[in-house]
Amino acid sequence: MDARSDPLDDRAQRVLEFERDWWGHSGAKEQSIRREFGWSAARYYQVLNAVIDTEVAVRYDPVFVGRLRAVRDDRAQQRRTRRPGFTGAA
């Protein structure tokens, strides 16, 4: 089996499936992350970001992974362009 056809490992698949279940929902996600994975929210997002940067994740679910990448990139751009001390409130 070559690297291009490697399957998504179990942990990466669980993270993507968990994120898909939460997509567009609100609630106690941090508590669910701790219950499901035993990780802090910060660790979960580190793992999620590493997963969505892999080609195997793109092959697993190209539309969802692309959407997650776009959201991440938009948020990063907003952080880079935010003016110091600006809250956005009028």
Side-chain angles (χ1 to χ4, degrees), residues 36-74:
E36 178 72 21
F37 301 101
W39 302 335
S40 67
R43 178 64 183 144
Y44 169 79
Y45 287 109
Q46 289 172 338
V47 172
L48 175 63
N49 282 312
V51 167
I52 68 173
D53 283 338
T54 66
E55 287 305 311
V56 69
V58 171
R59 287 191 306 277
Y60 178 77
D61 192 337
V63 173
F64 186 61
V65 170
R67 190 176 304 143
L68 291 174
R69 286 178 173 184
V71 168
R72 178 188 62 187
D73 294 347
D74 287 347

